[in-house]
Amino acid sequence: MSDVAIAGYATSGFAGETDKSGNELVLETNMAALDNAGVTREDLDSVMFTGQDPYDGAAISDGQKVATAAAYNKPIMRLQSGGGAAIHQARAKIRAGKADVVTVVAADSVTADPTMLSWSSHEALYHRPFGMNNRQSYGFFTQNYLDGSDVTREDLAATAAKNYEAAAENPDAHRREGYSTEEVLDSDLVVGPLTELMLEPMSYGAAVIVLVSEAAAAELDDVSSYITGTGMATEKYWYREMESRLRQPTLRDAAAIAYDEAGIDAADIDAAEIATYAPSFELLSYEALGFCDEGDGPSLVADNTTAIDGSLPINTSGGPLATSPPNSGGVYRAIAACQQIQGDLGRQSADCVLLADNDMHLGEPARTDALVVLEGGPA
Amino acid sequence: MTDELSQSVGTDEVHGEYKYPFHWDLDFSLNIGETNRRFFEALENKQILGKACPECGDVFVPPQSVCIECYVETDEWIEVEQHGVLESYTVCFFQFEGLPEPPYVTGVIRIDDSTICMMHFIEELEYEEPMDLVDKLNKGDEVEPVWSDDRDGNIFDMDHWRLVE
């Protein structure tokens, strides 16, 4: 079985709008990623798209980007559970001996109202009549968390501010204003205790990552990092049930699988990029990923452990609160993890970086988590 | 400060010089099936029904046709008590198409001893400032349905839920 390396990547950078078409974004980003990896269209064995029809405003939207993704006459697959899941599947394809070079491609270019998009994806008889969408689901989760713990809105705001401080140093980030805790608290209320700056923006741009087999990596000059473990988990989450959600069981299960496969535990991780669409998810993810004991999440923010210059920086890119393209967010987070291993993001070197992604941009219930452990140097 | 944010850009904010507006306008009809139909018919008679798993005995309100844990079909209909416990709630501060003027409260309600919960509006809450609503309720609060006078077999036959005094 072959190990898998990340040979290269590219991103367009992200902003609140783009004047480029999806094909233009994919073409320039994909060409840059192949060039960065040192491979050509002829070397490419397969393409994984990650995205969803609602965010592209078209059905089978990946089919419209086949040419610009260099996928013509090659096996192409689209995964709707996010970039982390697509990387997991791309790695599986290489490890199974079915390919040596696989790209994971994603782009966000179509403008629409994300609240309506996520509302339209929810169950029609019992949830949609009450406006259930992604933000409502984050509100339920967060209110449940605050009601059952000592965590405060100030803790949530401080966590968001920590991410904005990191994003201010990241040229690819969408929100780079470095909002303070007070500014986060003072921004407009959106749902429950969550303000606009405690929720992810809608970002536009593209991201492409190139995965190669160990054999292919040996022929390339510069391979940035290796995937040493992945894990995926889907739980019932029971659409109408709240009790177990704060433990984030799928994140825990996916982490256990990925850690075991990589032969590491939480203490070996130097930094992490986590798909946290509200600060409540980040604080509880610290527990689920084994970074702290139950109830200690806010203390990791308060003592700067997870700040950009802390001992365990989390979301050095700024995370989803700063940059949240629904299709390409997971791929971008993987790129940010690679950049940390290469010393191009953050303030300190990192040998082992965790990517935790999920498909929660349409809402928290019925969630799938995908984890990837990235390590520098030969596996 | 918040005016500078571009949290989301709606389709009505079109920049003609580089955007080409379009929309999907499709009608869908959902087949609700026997389990949902019976639940909604009972609402017309001010009854709340659930279904129970024959193996583990868990009760599901709203009814589910299968128990996820046991993977067997639920077969027993049960009329449950019209009493709920608030598992969570959230106050919506943004205007949403076809929904009430904000702020309004949506609750996640566990009815009787149901294993799962359902959503509904929580009303009859007095407040001065919209933000007061966030602290008005608590996880574990007891709630009861307020029935509509005009019922025709849908989820709004229960007009809303309110705190039990």
Side-chain angles (χ1 to χ4, degrees), chain B residues 26-42:
Chain B
L26 304 171
D27 291 325
F28 294 93
S29 291
L30 193 67
N31 291 326
I32 65 174
E34 184 187 342
T35 298
N36 291 314
R37 184 160 48 244
R38 187 157 173 184
F39 176 74
F40 287 126
E41 285 172 357

Side-chain angles (χ1 to χ4, degrees), chain A residues 243-287:
Chain A
E243 192 177 328
S244 69
R245 288 186 185 160
L246 299 185
R247 294 193 79 250
Q248 303 191 83
T250 50
L251 187 61
R252 285 175 191 267
D253 291 350
I257 296 166
Y259 291 176
D260 181 60
E261 195 171 63
I264 64 164
D265 58 36
D268 297 313
I269 294 167
D270 300 316
E273 286 287 321
I274 311 176
T276 47
Y277 297 93
S280 41
F281 292 102
E282 177 161 338
L283 294 174
L284 285 164
S285 293
Y286 295 170
E287 298 175 17

Side-chain angles (χ1 to χ4, degrees), chain A residues 290-311:
Chain A
F291 297 153
C292 69
D293 293 330
E294 192 172 333
D296 289 346
S299 68
L300 297 193
V301 176
D303 67 11
N304 287 326
T305 298
T306 55
I308 188 170
D309 53 1
S311 58

Side-chain angles (χ1 to χ4, degrees), chain A residues 15-20 53-54 56-59 109-116 119 123-133 135-136 138-144 147-148 153 174-175 177 179 183-184 186-194 196-197 199-204 236 238-243 246, chain B residues 1-11 13 15 18-19 22 24 30-32 35-37 39-40 58 60-64 66-69 86-100 104 106-110 115-121 130-131 134-135 137-140 155-156 158-159:
Chain A
E17 287 195 64
T18 178
D19 59 358
K20 292 177 178 170
D53 292 342
D56 283 333
S109 64
V110 176
T111 304
D113 181 346
T115 61
M116 292 299 290
W119 171 82
E123 188 275 326
L125 289 176
Y126 300 104
H127 294 148
R128 226 183 281 167
F130 305 102
M132 181 67 157
N133 65 2
R135 292 178 180 185
Q136 289 272 32
Y138 306 156
F140 286 138
F141 184 94
T142 305
Q143 192 66 56
N144 203 284
D147 281 354
R153 291 184 73 237
H174 172 179
R175 287 176 174 166
E177 292 80 358
Y179 297 113
E183 286 176 307
V184 173
D186 290 343
S187 61
D188 291 344
L189 280 167
V190 178
V191 60
L194 298 171
E196 193 162 10
L197 285 173
L199 291 162
E200 87 285 14
M202 184 81 170
S203 308
Y204 299 90
K236 58 189 182 220
W238 279 11
Y239 220 44
R240 303 151 190 154
E241 190 261 355
M242 294 299 300
E243 192 177 328
L246 299 185
Chain B
M1 183 273 301
T2 52
D3 289 343
E4 298 168 9
L5 295 172
S6 57
Q7 164 74 18
S8 63
V9 183
T11 49
E13 298 174 48
H15 300 265
Y18 65 88
K19 286 191 176 180
F22 72 100
W24 283 358
L30 193 67
N31 291 326
I32 65 174
T35 298
N36 291 314
R37 184 160 48 244
F39 176 74
F40 287 126
D58 279 359
F60 303 97
V61 184
Q64 294 198 159
V66 66
C67 173
I68 295 176
E69 290 288 354
L86 212 54
E87 285 288 325
S88 189
Y89 65 96
T90 195
V91 186
C92 187
F93 293 96
F94 61 95
Q95 182 64 58
F96 204 84
E97 196 172 302
L99 285 160
Y104 60 88
T106 316
V108 178
I109 304 163
R110 186 184 300 279
T115 300
I116 60 173
C117 303
M118 65 171 286
M119 292 172 64
H120 216 295
F121 296 128
M131 185 59 192
V134 173
D135 300 318
L137 298 166
N138 284 293
K139 180 177 176 174
I155 198 74
F156 290 116
M158 292 182 279
D159 185 77

